[in-house]
Amino acid sequence: MTARAMAGEINEGSVPAYYREVYEAIRCRTDERVQVEVFKRLLERSGLSKTALSQIAEHIDCTDGFLTKLTLYKALALIALAQQGKKPSPKLFIHELPKPQLGEPRELSALRMQPAQDDVLTISQTFEQLLIKDTIQVELIPEKKGLFLKHVEYQVISQRYKISVYRRYSDFDVFHEVLLQKFAYRVVPALPPKRMLKGVLTSMSEREFIEGRRRALIRFINLVARHPLFSEDELVKTFLTYSGSDVQTKLRDTCKKTGDEFMTNRIATQAKEYLPADIQAQFSTSRELIKNIHNSFQRLRDRAEKMAERSMENSTDLVQFGRELSALGSDASVLPSLASSQSSWGTLRQSLKSLSEEFAVLSDKAAQQGRREQDDVVEKLNFFLDLLQSYRDLCERHEKGVLHEHQKALHKYSMMKRQMMSATVQPKEQASVEQLESRIVQQESAIQTMELRNYFSLFCLHQETQLIFTYLPITANILGAFVNSQVQGHREMGDVWNELQPKLGCLFGSNNGLKPPI
């Protein structure tokens, strides 16, 4: 043995095969370590006394509730020594490490804690925790504002990274492209269109289109930055922090270095083990429920938009109403003697001129109300709708992509097998038969990979479905914003109306007893 072994340290290369088999049987599926609770269950199988177990525990270092691989090997050696009736001490690791009596390794896998497996599949973050991951603003560069711009540039400001970078739409486009390449099995929100659709220009100015696209980009980047997986990915960090002019190249290079999620995720090839037996039934039920939620939120958004539009129309009507009163009061036409002897109209119309200011204030309050309804209610509804739509897009990618490709591969494999059977019945050149056999082997490998991808896609779908349900408390957030906007709007409008009422009394009260109705 080496001096290190004599000092009580274990060389991984010198441990018995049984040690490695035990480790593989009880280690975490997503980690290189062993949970302390699992190790305690292993100790219970040793049949040792409490005194011996206490002596073993003195030499075992458990960091954050886990044992490292070498710590487990050390523990196995100590267990074996204690089972031989010796006092467990690393000082005895001089000769060949003894084999403990703990049963067959394949039986020990049952000791692995089920909750640890569930944690891999379960999204444990709350709605509030997702929201605080980051808040990102997207603003038009001031000097670039205007109509009919050749290029629009945005300033992207991340609260998390405390930095601002400059991006064009094409940068967002490449970022979206590489996100989809890497995370094809996740909810990747869609980008708004780059240009106005034909026919839209008649009902929307280019300035309005650019503003609508800016709002959509804000929703897109915040959904991405708050995703449990995306938020910690190098692609997102690069987009939000890289200040070089070649950000598109940087994003593509970053994506190429790692490959897609199936190639990098530790449990991708084991995804089937973590899926519930009724995963297909759960997926169908959840998908239908989310579809209904999506439809309901679309109707809510449509109604909220109409309310915001009515507030803006009310603003226009109020200011126009005030202007008409002012125009009426500004009429300098001389009253005929017939009217002047019987009417106070001359005095009344002079009083009407000052009312346009009050109605301008009312118009401003109505416009503020419309903006609050748009910013606080409609935008929040659009934010959630963007997420719901990206979930529906993901479901379609799963069915039309992974499942469809799997079926095509199976059909191709079936055709090759028939050709092979035909070749064995009818004499053919040996080289041709061997070439066909090679193609069949390659196709079998491709099918196996596709099956693994299919299970991983279902695994991701299960997690993304949880993400949708995690976001559902946004409903209370939206309702709160709606109620607050209405309370504030009605209070502010009511204050102006209440101030206007006594002014009307002063204006008209001395005119032949005319008073506004109370």
Side-chain angles (χ1 to χ4, degrees):
M1 296 291 290
T2 65
R4 291 183 61 188
M6 292 178 65
E9 297 183 19
I10 292 180
N11 186 332
E12 184 177 351
S14 64
V15 300
Y18 182 78
Y19 283 38
R20 298 190 186 91
E21 292 170 358
V22 170
Y23 166 73
E24 290 296 334
I26 67 173
R27 74 176 179 87
C28 296
R29 289 288 189 183
T30 58
D31 205 331
E32 299 294 329
R33 301 175 298 172
V34 175
Q35 289 177 296
V36 167
E37 292 301 319
V38 176
F39 176 63
K40 287 179 179 178
R41 295 182 185 184
L42 184 69
L43 288 177
E44 291 173 3
R45 295 175 63 96
S46 67
L48 295 173
S49 66
K50 290 184 179 180
T51 302
L53 294 177
S54 298
Q55 292 172 342
I56 291 172
E58 291 176 2
H59 301 288
I60 301 303
D61 178 26
C62 304
T63 304
D64 299 328
F66 292 90
L67 281 74
T68 65
K69 183 193 296 187
L70 290 179
T71 301
L72 176 68
Y73 291 164
K74 181 179 180 180
L76 293 176
L78 292 172
I79 291 171
L81 290 172
Q83 287 177 333
Q84 294 174 3
K86 301 174 183 177
K87 182 178 179 180
S89 171
K91 294 180 181 179
L92 299 178
F93 299 168
I94 299 175
H95 305 292
E96 183 178 350
L97 295 175
K99 176 182 175 182
Q101 302 300 316
L102 297 170
E104 291 296 321
R106 63 175 178 273
E107 299 173 357
L108 300 180
S109 59
L111 300 178
R112 190 185 298 116
M113 296 180 68
Q114 188 63 34
Q117 295 183 13
D118 292 342
D119 288 344
V120 175
L121 189 60
T122 303
I123 292 179
S124 58
Q125 294 172 341
T126 64
F127 172 62
E128 290 75 17
Q129 289 172 329
L130 293 177
L131 289 186
I132 64 175
K133 280 183 175 292
D134 202 353
T135 297
I136 300 168
Q137 296 299 322
V138 178
E139 301 292 346
L140 279 171
I141 302 299
E143 61 268 20
K144 294 294 182 82
K145 286 183 178 178
L147 297 175
F148 307 108
L149 301 175
K150 186 176 182 181
H151 296 296
V152 176
E153 194 169 11
Y154 303 96
Q155 183 180 22
V156 180
I157 308 159
S158 167
Q159 193 176 88
R160 175 183 180 183
Y161 293 108
K162 310 295 182 187
I163 192 173
S164 66
V165 292
Y166 298 96
R167 298 287 181 258
R168 285 167 47 180
Y169 180 87
S170 58
D171 300 327
F172 278 93
D173 194 31
V174 171
F175 178 52
H176 180 261
E177 175 191 321
V178 294
L179 269 180
L180 267 178
Q181 288 175 7
K182 185 170 184 179
F183 298 106
Y185 309 128
R186 303 287 180 178
V187 285
V188 178
L191 279 180
K194 182 178 183 179
R195 297 183 179 85
M196 282 189 289
L197 301 175
K198 291 182 179 179
V200 175
L201 187 58
T202 57
S203 60
M204 178 189 295
S205 69
E206 183 158 343
R207 182 183 293 275
E208 289 174 325
F209 170 77
I210 290 174
E211 172 58 17
R213 188 175 69 182
R214 183 190 70 84
R215 288 174 177 267
L217 290 174
I218 291 175
R219 299 195 300 269
F220 163 79
I221 194 63
N222 277 283
L223 280 171
V224 169
R226 293 169 181 172
H227 189 283
L229 194 65
F230 303 164
S231 60
E232 307 305 321
D233 190 77
E234 189 64 26
L235 280 175
V236 175
K237 184 178 180 181
T238 299
F239 184 80
L240 294 176
T241 63
Y242 184 70
S243 57
S245 60
D246 57 339
V247 63
Q248 296 182 20
T249 302
K250 182 77 172 177
L251 288 167
R252 288 196 169 101
D253 289 345
T254 302
C255 185
K256 287 177 183 177
K257 286 178 184 177
T258 57
D260 75 344
E261 188 187 2
F262 179 79
M263 302 299 293
T264 58
N265 193 299
R266 187 190 298 267
I267 65 166
T269 58
Q270 304 167 5
K272 183 179 179 180
E273 298 178 25
Y274 299 99
L275 292 173
D278 60 343
I279 180 63
Q280 292 289 359
Q282 286 190 34
F283 170 55
S284 298
T285 302
S286 298
R287 186 179 184 182
E288 186 63 26
L289 174 58
I290 291 172
K291 177 183 175 182
N292 293 336
I293 291 172
H294 189 184
N295 293 336
S296 295
F297 267 83
Q298 281 182 319
R299 291 191 289 269
L300 286 171
R301 190 270 315 277
D302 292 344
R303 292 299 172 186
E305 280 185 335
K306 287 183 179 179
M307 284 188 280
E309 289 170 2
R310 282 199 295 269
S311 293
M312 300 307 291
E313 289 171 358
N314 188 32
S315 171
T316 302
D317 291 340
L318 283 167
V319 73
Q320 193 62 39
F321 191 88
R323 287 172 182 168
E324 293 298 336
L325 285 177
S326 180
L328 188 61
S330 300
D331 187 357
S333 300
V334 178
L335 289 174
S337 57
L338 170 64
S340 60
S341 62
Q342 300 293 326
S343 172
S344 59
W345 173 243
T347 305
L348 284 173
R349 70 181 181 183
Q350 292 296 321
S351 302
L352 294 175
K353 290 182 181 180
S354 63
L355 293 180
S356 62
E357 294 181 5
E358 275 74 12
F359 278 92
V361 174
L362 285 168
S363 172
D364 183 58
K365 296 298 182 184
Q368 290 178 27
Q369 171 68 4
R371 287 191 291 271
R372 273 194 300 270
E373 289 168 343
Q374 180 67 41
D375 296 341
D376 299 342
V377 182
V378 175
E379 277 305 302
K380 285 184 173 69
L381 285 164
N382 280 329
F383 178 84
F384 190 43
L385 282 169
D386 287 352
L387 179 64
L388 292 169
Q389 182 59 52
S390 64
Y391 178 80
R392 294 180 75 164
D393 294 342
L394 173 63
C395 293
E396 289 186 12
R397 284 202 302 275
H398 173 72
E399 292 181 338
K400 296 180 179 179
V402 179
L403 290 181
H404 181 65
E405 291 300 319
H406 189 200
Q407 290 169 355
K408 280 175 58 179
L410 287 173
H411 177 71
K412 185 177 179 180
Y413 178 71
S414 177
M415 294 290 291
M416 287 182 179
K417 292 292 284 185
R418 282 199 289 270
Q419 290 176 10
M420 189 65 188
M421 290 177 64
S422 175
T424 56
V425 173
Q426 301 175 7
K428 291 192 175 183
E429 293 183 8
Q430 183 65 25
S432 176
V433 174
E434 289 178 354
Q435 190 176 41
L436 187 57
E437 287 177 342
S438 176
R439 288 173 56 202
I440 288 175
V441 171
Q442 292 176 1
Q443 190 65 14
E444 287 174 343
S445 176
I447 290 172
Q448 184 180 18
T449 300
M450 287 181 186
E451 286 177 347
L452 292 174
R453 282 186 173 271
N454 179 42
Y455 283 118
F456 183 62
S457 178
L458 281 171
F459 177 92
C460 295
L461 260 175
H462 193 78
Q463 289 189 324
E464 301 305 284
T465 302
Q466 293 174 62
L467 180 64
I468 301 298
F469 291 127
T470 301
Y471 261 102
L472 279 177
I474 199 174
T475 308
N477 191 291
I478 294 169
L479 285 174
F482 174 66
V483 171
N484 290 338
S485 71
Q486 297 303 312
V487 169
Q488 184 177 350
H490 284 86
R491 182 177 63 246
E492 291 179 355
M493 291 283 285
D495 289 344
V496 180
W497 285 117
N498 287 330
E499 290 175 6
L500 182 59
Q501 195 175 53
K503 290 183 180 180
L504 292 178
C506 294
L507 289 172
F508 301 115
S510 60
N511 294 295
N512 297 324
L514 291 176
K515 294 183 180 180
I518 304 301

